[in-house]
Amino acid sequence: NSRLCMSSAVAGYTRSLGSDGPPCSYEDLDHCTVAFLIGTNTAECHPVLFQRLLKRKRKNPGSVKIVVVDPRRTDTAKAADIHLPIAPGSDLALLHGIAHLVLRENGQDPAFIDDHTENYDAFFDVAARWTPRRVALFCNIPEKRLREVAALFHRREKVLSLWSMGVNQRREGTAVVQGLINLHLLTGQIGKQGAGPFSLTGQPNAMGGREAGGLAHLL
């Protein structure tokens, strides 16, 4: 499980943050104002976690907005406030497009970037190339929807990103994980309650197995 399901998440965390450890906890589900689900059919694959999110939404409908990025209309997508049915394999372009709009609207967190990140200029150059029109065409989604989702990141909401096998088992899964983490670093949406990039593990104790030495990306 650690090898098949988690190696992209492990490599992405390690390359971006220097450590294989999600900077989030399950309690963040109770405090986020946006749940950004990408490459995960959480309703079917992590039903306890998903019901926890839905229960909170039922109790207080305005407390959390659920965004689902998935080419398919899954049970998870049916429960979403916003469903982005992107073209398969276009998820990294979507993340770059969101970053582009965050930067255009000055939604980045300059103090956090200065204090806690490196290579910002190189990232800026990449994001600058992914204009809304280009991303909308590449991902096969309306430009209006892209802007709607990007606004959730640059309005200083508490964004908790959740992903699973749809990202991790991609050929470029590690790059997609890093693209997602970069969005959180760009906006300072990390290291605080209710926000951060949170990989959903494929099996009950894959993280514990890694901590005990069963590393996902090394023999």
Side-chain angles (χ1 to χ4, degrees):
N1 165 259
S2 284
R3 178 65 188 173
L4 175 65
C5 294
M6 302 309 299
S7 51
S8 293
V10 168
Y13 276 137
T14 303
R15 288 181 187 177
S16 291
L17 305 177
S19 173
D20 164 28
C24 312
S25 74
Y26 288 116
E27 287 183 10
D28 288 315
L29 286 162
D30 303 327
H31 300 285
C32 64
T33 55
V34 177
F36 183 77
L37 282 65
I38 179 168
T40 173
N41 185 8
T42 322
E44 293 186 30
C45 299
H46 299 89
V48 175
L49 182 151
F50 195 66
Q51 286 304 314
R52 180 171 174 172
L53 198 57
L54 290 187
K55 184 178 178 182
R56 181 186 162 204
K57 192 171 175 64
R58 281 194 296 269
K59 273 188 171 181
N60 186 356
S63 62
V64 60
K65 191 178 285 285
I66 299 174
V67 179
V68 174
V69 179
D70 197 314
R72 306 164 301 160
R73 185 165 169 75
T74 62
D75 286 347
T76 309
K78 289 173 187 174
D81 296 288
I82 301 174
H83 173 214
L84 288 181
I86 60 171
S90 65
D91 38 12
L92 185 56
L94 174 75
L95 298 174
H96 286 333
I98 293 172
H100 179 101
L101 285 166
V102 167
L103 290 163
R104 183 180 286 188
E105 298 296 329
N106 291 317
Q108 68 269 38
D109 186 333
F112 184 90
I113 291 166
D114 288 345
D115 292 344
H116 301 292
T117 69
E118 300 172 335
N119 301 319
Y120 172 72
D121 290 340
F123 174 75
F124 182 94
D125 290 343
V126 171
R129 294 197 292 270
W130 288 93
T131 61
R133 178 171 172 74
R134 182 184 180 191
V135 172
L137 289 170
F138 192 84
C139 297
N140 195 27
I141 56 172
E143 191 175 318
K144 181 183 175 183
R145 279 299 201 193
L146 173 65
R147 293 180 182 276
E148 197 176 344
V149 172
L152 296 175
F153 278 88
H154 68 64
R155 283 182 190 154
R156 297 286 190 270
E157 301 277 358
K158 293 181 179 178
V159 182
L160 185 68
S161 294
L162 305 133
W163 77 91
S164 191
M165 299 307 104
V167 166
N168 288 340
Q169 294 189 18
R170 282 259 282 112
R171 185 174 61 185
E172 297 172 347
T174 300
V176 179
V177 170
Q178 288 186 269
L180 195 52
I181 293 172
N182 282 341
L183 259 183
H184 284 271
L185 295 174
L186 179 68
T187 55
Q189 294 279 350
I190 190 170
K192 63 183 184 183
Q193 191 180 57
F198 197 17
S199 66
L200 298 177
T201 255
Q203 296 292 334
N205 200 24
M207 187 70 222
R210 303 203 306 266
E211 289 172 342
L215 301 179
H217 61 313
L218 302 171
L219 290 173

